[in-house]
């Protein structure tokens, strides 16, 4: 075999290897949709707003932690693998969370009467988040039909937390809606995922807040700041 034949053989082998790699990458790359379910922890801080010396206000700072509350999410995007193990993806995701508590108070009439008053208070918190995200993926363990990987990335979007209070007092119902924090969010996304075949991935997700969505009350006396940590499991289908 002469030198020319060796060059042709080497180039052919290289092209075959490249084609095989591209085929494997295309199998893991593509448009995807997914769903998530889990729970969240809400960290709320209420600060007094600095006013002039003549204006009176409550100087108390209040911090509250609400957990866990149910969270559901849906996402869609595109992922591209540059090699068998390394990839990059971008997607949009919407999360909805809900939490609440209920109290019921019954008071008997003084003097031994039989009549009683009943007061029920229902408080519900609704959280909404929508964001665009970019993540780097590393499938550090690659088997024939399965893979195990980690990912990390950053998101940017909008989040809001609303409080709804329903007070039922002996047949009279009063409902109050309050904005408890809204605005820009910048979550850090990290997680662990398992790939099954070319189309299925299962994930354990941690969505860590970096800044608080805030809201000032109508009197401009207090500022509500909310951060939402979301922990969820998810499923993604790659087309």
């Amino acid at each position: 075999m002469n030198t020319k034949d060796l060059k042709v053989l080497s180039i052919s082998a290289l092209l075959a290897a490249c084609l095989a790699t591209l085929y494997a990458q295309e199998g893991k790359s593509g448009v995807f949709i997914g769903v998530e379910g889990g729970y969240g922890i809400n960290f709320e801080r209420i600060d007094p707003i600095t006013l002039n010396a003549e204006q009176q206000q409550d100087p108390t700072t209040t911090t509250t932690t609400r957990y866990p509350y149910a969270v559901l999410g849906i996402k869609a995007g595109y992922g591209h693998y540059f090699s068998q193990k390394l990839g990059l993806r971008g997607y949009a995701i919407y999360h909805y969370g809900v939490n609440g508590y209920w109290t019921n108070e019954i008071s008997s009439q003084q003097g031994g009467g039989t009549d009683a008053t009943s007061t029920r208070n229902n408080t519900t918190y609704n959280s909404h988040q929508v964001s665009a995200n970019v993540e780097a993926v590393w499938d550090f363990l690659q088997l024939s039909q399965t893979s195990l990987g980690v990912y990390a990335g950053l998101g940017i979007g909008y989040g809001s937390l609303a409080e709804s209070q329903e007070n039922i007092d002996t047949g009279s119902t009063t409902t109050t809606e309050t904005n408890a924090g809204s605005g820009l969010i910048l979550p850090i996304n990290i997680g662990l995922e398992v790939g099954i075949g070319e189309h299925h991935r299962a994930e354990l997700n941690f969505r860590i807040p970096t800044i608080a969505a805030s809201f000032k009350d109508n009197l401009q006396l207090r500022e509500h700041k909310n951060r939402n940590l979301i922990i969820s499991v998810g499923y993604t289908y790659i087309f």
Side-chain angles (χ1 to χ4, degrees), residues 163-184:
E163 177 184 334
S164 176
Q165 286 190 336
E166 183 182 52
N167 184 272
I168 304 173
D169 188 358
T170 60
S172 177
T173 302
T174 303
T175 302
T176 304
E177 301 283 345
T178 304
N179 184 344
S182 59
L184 179 70

Side-chain angles (χ1 to χ4, degrees), residues 89-220:
R89 64 189 176 204
Y91 62 92
I93 189 167
Y94 167 73
H95 282 105
Y96 171 70
V98 62
N99 187 19
Y101 62 89
W102 301 264
T103 60
N104 192 30
E105 180 180 330
I106 299 176
S107 300
S108 300
Q109 187 182 43
Q110 292 183 353
T114 57
D115 294 337
T117 60
S118 175
T119 302
R120 180 180 176 86
N121 184 275
N122 304 328
T123 302
T124 304
Y125 295 92
N126 293 285
S127 173
H128 302 271
Q129 287 191 7
V130 59
S131 63
N133 303 265
V134 176
E135 295 170 353
V137 187
W138 177 36
D139 289 343
F140 58 87
L141 179 61
Q142 187 74 48
L143 303 177
S144 59
Q145 292 296 320
T146 60
S147 63
L148 181 63
V150 293
Y151 67 86
L154 185 67
I156 181 171
Y158 178 85
S160 69
L161 178 68
E163 177 184 334
S164 176
Q165 286 190 336
E166 183 182 52
N167 184 272
I168 304 173
D169 188 358
T170 60
S172 177
T173 302
T174 303
T175 302
T176 304
E177 301 283 345
T178 304
N179 184 344
S182 59
L184 179 70
I185 57 173
L186 287 171
I188 294 174
N189 305 317
I190 59 174
L192 177 70
E193 61 183 27
V194 177
I196 303 173
E198 295 182 350
H199 300 288
H200 310 282
R201 297 186 82 89
E203 304 125 2
L204 174 62
N205 311 292
F206 297 87
R207 189 173 178 85
I208 304 169
T210 60
I211 62 175
S214 62
F215 173 76
K216 297 179 181 179
D217 63 25
N218 293 333
L219 299 178
Q220 300 291 299

